[in-house]
Amino acid sequence: MRIDMNNIANNLNTPLTAPAYPMPPYKFVNREYLNIIYRTDAKALRAAVPEPLEIIGDPLVKFEVMWMPDVSGLGAYTEAGQVIPVRFNGEDGDYTHSMYVDNFPAIASGRELTAYPKKLGAPKLYVDSDTLVGTLDYGSLRVATATMGYKHIEMDKEIAKNEICRPTFMVKIATDYNGDLKICDLVRTQITNIDVKGAWSGPARLQLFEHALAPLADLPVLEVVSASHILTDLTLNAAQPVYNYLEEQ
């Protein structure tokens, strides 16, 4: 039997007979975060943040590693990357600068449906004796190692919730068949459906290593400011455009 027009139009991703991912919402059970906020070089940070987002206060970056063992439709995967505190139209939030993921459906759905800047990588989050460890490899090379004392200080769950639920800004880019820009938007999303099951802080360190195609070290670690270890159940929301770069040209 041939695939008719309606079935083609109702499939938002390919292959038509074996789509790369199911449609959202995606529900996460026991989504676990290691977050390390560090101070970086102000000039390098300005070069990484697109207009009209503004950098506020100290030049800070959050390196995060997330272990997601139970995700509806996507399975299990780990993710790592960098987000940058910013302000847009008077609202404070985070700009997602980079993400490295070890699961193809998560990469494809994140890039195609939303605007998450996901690339293939090999992040890990695990406990080594008394230490929570987050690592990121790109290919066969280590590009980040984060360590934190395991559950040293219990953290207020409301503070942890506010950390996870900050608005997130990303740039969505799509071209037409000539390679010309068809979509170039700043988009916004925010987690609103969340249950924080546990949260801790403690001493932490972060090392970033130079790599041409995973340039996390372009935002160097000058000082670790704080760290958190947060366990949650949550559901991701869709992203909405808030600024059209093509119209502003």
Side-chain angles (χ1 to χ4, degrees):
M1 180 181 295
R2 294 182 63 192
I3 302 175
D4 62 29
M5 295 286 193
N6 288 332
N7 284 331
I8 293 173
N10 288 330
N11 277 278
L12 298 185
N13 69 95
T14 60
L16 288 177
T17 57
Y21 52 85
M23 299 308 296
Y26 301 126
K27 297 181 180 180
F28 296 75
V29 178
N30 290 331
R31 176 164 163 150
E32 188 172 10
Y33 293 81
L34 168 58
N35 297 322
I36 297 183
I37 296 175
Y38 68 92
R39 185 170 290 108
T40 192
D41 178 76
K43 183 178 180 181
L45 194 66
R46 284 194 297 271
V49 175
E51 295 181 341
L53 298 174
E54 304 173 70
I55 297 171
I56 51 174
D58 289 341
L60 300 178
V61 181
K62 179 169 68 175
F63 175 77
E64 58 183 13
V65 184
M66 292 169 281
W67 161 232
M68 291 157 280
D70 183 351
V71 188
S72 59
L74 302 178
Y77 63 98
T78 310
E79 195 167 87
Q82 293 166 308
V83 298
I84 300 169
V86 293
R87 179 173 292 161
F88 176 73
N89 282 350
E91 179 182 49
D92 291 350
D94 292 320
Y95 167 65
T96 303
H97 175 59
S98 64
M99 304 179 83
Y100 298 86
V101 187
D102 62 1
N103 171 296
F104 177 74
I107 294 173
S109 61
R111 290 175 65 100
E112 294 175 11
L113 294 179
T114 313
Y116 291 105
K118 297 187 178 187
K119 294 179 68 172
L120 180 65
K124 299 292 182 185
L125 182 63
Y126 61 94
V127 178
D128 181 15
S129 184
D130 59 351
T131 307
L132 182 65
V133 180
T135 62
L136 173 60
D137 293 349
Y138 190 82
S140 63
L141 299 179
R142 178 62 45 87
V143 293
T145 300
T147 56
M148 176 182 170
Y150 186 70
K151 295 186 178 181
H152 275 214
I153 304 167
E154 194 160 4
M155 185 177 175
D156 184 277
K157 290 183 179 179
E158 195 63 28
I159 294 175
K161 179 179 178 180
N162 291 337
E163 180 177 337
I164 300 300
C165 294
R166 285 166 59 88
T168 299
F169 299 96
M170 300 164 285
V171 176
K172 184 175 181 66
I173 296 174
T175 62
D176 62 19
Y177 294 106
N178 295 319
D180 298 321
L181 280 178
K182 184 176 182 180
I183 297 173
C184 191
D185 292 335
L186 181 70
V187 303
R188 178 193 182 279
T189 187
Q190 186 172 15
I191 294 169
T192 56
N193 181 1
I194 185 173
D195 175 27
V196 176
K197 303 165 80 170
W200 303 268
S201 62
R205 297 292 186 271
L206 174 63
Q207 295 173 286
L208 302 178
F209 306 96
E210 299 282 353
H211 194 294
L213 299 181
L216 284 79
D218 285 3
L219 298 176
V221 180
L222 301 184
E223 178 189 11
V224 171
V225 175
S226 64
S228 61
H229 173 204
I230 304 172
L231 183 64
T232 69
D233 294 342
L234 60 84
T235 303
L236 293 182
N237 290 327
Q240 301 296 329
V242 293
Y243 185 89
N244 186 321
Y245 289 98
L246 298 179
E247 290 181 355
E248 298 298 328
Q249 280 186 332

